[in-house]
């Protein structure tokens, strides 16, 4: 008979082994940007589904109901695509909400939904496909109150807004309405962007979508003209040589918005939303 300590160690090892075998992998997503059309699956999670040939995913919502979604792939990323917009709509998902995906095997995921208070959304516990969540009376009353307050604020601001502010607001709204099936980022042109010979690219977008070494990239403007620029990933990821020529040729001004759409590994289509339209 093995010593008591050795027996305890064996039992603990068996328990850990069973726990590891029963453990289900998870990933989470904070809903940001254009999440309504597709949702990117973290690359490190793909090892859990790499052996599965099916491109069909079944999402089990908080109610236990099923939503059928398809996987879409680009050269670098994997997304939830067809069927995902219906899941978003049925659950009335909002920006900054937090979703946890538990992988149950065989391309089945259980999805937990948390709102901005960091608590589970109880209104989605009874959602069925094609039916939006029922709102509580308190929530309805609060939304109506906030809607009325928002209208008062908008009305007040409209009385004090000068024509230039209105044009800036229109440009911002147009830029925010931009959508694409390709990765993209929207940037407001600051004095640094239009007067310095470089453009700082947000690190997160750079890490997830752009080359991880110094490269030549192509910027293409709305009329189809192209410029070759130097891209350098570092502590501050930058588009440098060639950027000034692009700014001057397109007459970019402070306050304009640009949507940089990655249509190829090293090609960005730049959609320009101007505060003051060209004459």
């Amino acid at each position: 008979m093995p010593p008591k300590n050795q027996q305890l160690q064996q039992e603990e090892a068996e328990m850990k082994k069973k726990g590891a075998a029963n453990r289900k992998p998870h990933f989470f997503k904070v809903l940001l940007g254009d999440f309504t059309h597709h949702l990117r699956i973290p690359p490190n999670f793909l090892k859990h589904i790499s052996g599965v040939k099916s491109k069909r995913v079944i999402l089990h919502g908080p109610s236990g109901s099923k939503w059928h979604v398809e996987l879409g792939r680009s050269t670098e990323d994997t997304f939830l695509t067809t069927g995902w917009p219906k899941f978003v709509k049925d659950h009335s998902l909002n920006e900054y909400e937090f979703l946890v995906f538990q992988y149950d095997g065989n391309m089945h995921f259980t999805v937990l939904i948390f709102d901005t208070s960091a608590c589970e959304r109880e209104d989605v516990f009874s959602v069925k496909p094609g039916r939006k969540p029922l709102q509580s009376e308190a929530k309805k009353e609060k939304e109506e109150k906030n809607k009325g307050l928002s209208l008062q604020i908008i009305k007040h601001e409209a009385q004090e807004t000068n024509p230039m502010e209105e044009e800036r607001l229109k440009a911002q709204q147009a830029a925010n309405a931009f959508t694409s099936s390709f990765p993209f980022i929207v940037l407001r042109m600051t004095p640094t962007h239009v007067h310095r010979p470089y453009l700082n690219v947000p690190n997160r977008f750079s890490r997830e979508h752009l080359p991880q070494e110094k490269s030549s990239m192509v910027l293409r403007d709305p009329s189809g003209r192209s410029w070759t620029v130097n891209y350098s990933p570092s502590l501050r990821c930058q588009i440098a040589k060639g950027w000034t020529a692009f700014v001057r040729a397109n007459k970019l001004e402070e306050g304009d918005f640009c949507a940089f759409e990655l249509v190829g590994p090293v090609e960005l289509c730049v959609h320009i939303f101007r505060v003051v339209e060209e004459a």
Side-chain angles (χ1 to χ4, degrees):
M1 184 175 179
K4 190 173 181 180
N5 287 343
Q6 185 178 348
Q7 186 177 357
L8 287 173
Q9 289 176 355
Q10 289 176 349
E11 289 176 356
E12 287 178 359
E14 285 296 321
M15 289 178 66
K16 288 181 179 179
K17 189 176 179 181
K18 288 180 180 178
N22 294 329
R23 182 187 173 279
K24 295 180 178 180
H26 299 70
F27 71 88
F28 74 85
K29 296 292 291 188
V30 179
L31 300 181
L32 298 171
D34 183 28
F35 65 86
T36 58
H37 294 90
H38 57 262
L39 192 74
R40 179 174 176 268
I41 298 176
N44 288 342
F45 186 85
L46 297 179
K47 62 187 177 185
H48 298 294
I49 60 175
S50 60
V52 183
K53 295 182 179 179
S54 174
K55 292 183 179 180
R56 295 184 178 275
V57 172
I58 295 179
L59 301 181
H60 297 260
S63 65
S65 296
K66 299 177 183 177
W67 280 260
H68 295 266
V69 178
E70 292 187 7
L71 283 182
R73 292 185 172 88
S74 66
T75 53
E76 297 181 354
D77 294 315
T78 301
F79 301 87
L80 297 176
T81 56
T82 304
W84 171 250
K86 180 172 174 58
F87 184 88
V88 172
K89 182 178 180 181
D90 288 348
H91 291 87
S92 298
L93 297 182
N94 298 303
E95 194 168 21
Y96 304 119
E97 290 187 327
F98 182 100
L99 274 58
V100 175
F101 294 78
Q102 173 184 287
Y103 183 51
D104 301 316
N106 199 27
M107 301 305 280
H108 285 246
F109 289 83
T110 297
V111 186
L112 303 179
I113 301 174
F114 299 80
D115 62 21
T116 53
S117 71
C119 296
E120 275 194 90
R121 277 183 51 190
E122 297 180 2
D123 61 318
V124 295
F125 290 170
S126 59
V127 170
K128 304 294 181 184
R131 292 171 57 187
K132 290 186 177 182
L134 296 174
Q135 291 183 330
S136 66
E137 290 302 319
K139 187 172 182 179
K140 285 182 182 178
E141 185 178 342
K142 182 179 179 181
E143 287 191 354
E144 288 299 323
K145 185 178 179 180
N146 288 341
K147 188 187 293 183
L149 182 59
S150 297
L151 289 173
Q152 291 177 24
I153 292 172
I154 291 170
K155 185 177 180 181
H156 177 69
E157 288 182 345
Q159 293 172 347
E160 297 185 355
T161 301
N162 61 45
M164 185 57 71
E165 285 299 322
E166 289 181 1
E167 294 304 316
R168 284 198 182 97
L169 182 59
K170 286 180 182 178
Q172 183 176 357
Q173 289 173 337
N176 289 340
F178 177 81
T179 60
S180 172
S181 59
F182 294 102
F184 70 91
I185 190 168
V186 176
L187 298 177
R188 178 181 179 275
M189 295 295 100
T190 66
T192 298
H193 293 151
V194 297
H195 297 302
R196 297 287 178 87
Y198 58 82
L199 173 73
N200 288 328
V201 181
N203 285 339
R204 182 175 177 179
F205 185 82
S206 175
R207 285 197 310 269
E208 293 182 357
H209 303 294
L210 299 184
Q212 296 307 298
E213 56 188 19
K214 290 184 177 181
S215 308
S216 292
M217 297 192 71
V218 174
L219 298 183
R220 197 172 299 280
D221 72 5
S223 64
R225 297 177 299 173
S226 63
W227 285 259
T228 300
V229 297
N230 288 350
Y231 169 73
S232 177
S234 58
L235 187 60
R236 289 188 175 180
C237 307
Q238 293 181 338
I239 291 174
K241 185 180 179 182
W243 170 247
T244 298
F246 180 87
V247 169
R248 289 175 178 170
N250 285 278
K251 300 178 181 178
L252 293 181
E253 299 286 347
E254 179 186 350
D256 290 342
F257 288 84
C258 292
F260 295 83
E261 180 187 21
L262 187 67
V263 297
V266 292
E267 182 176 347
L268 289 161
C269 275
V270 186
H271 305 265
I272 302 172
F273 305 90
R274 301 183 188 277
V275 173
V276 179
E277 291 295 335
E278 291 184 289

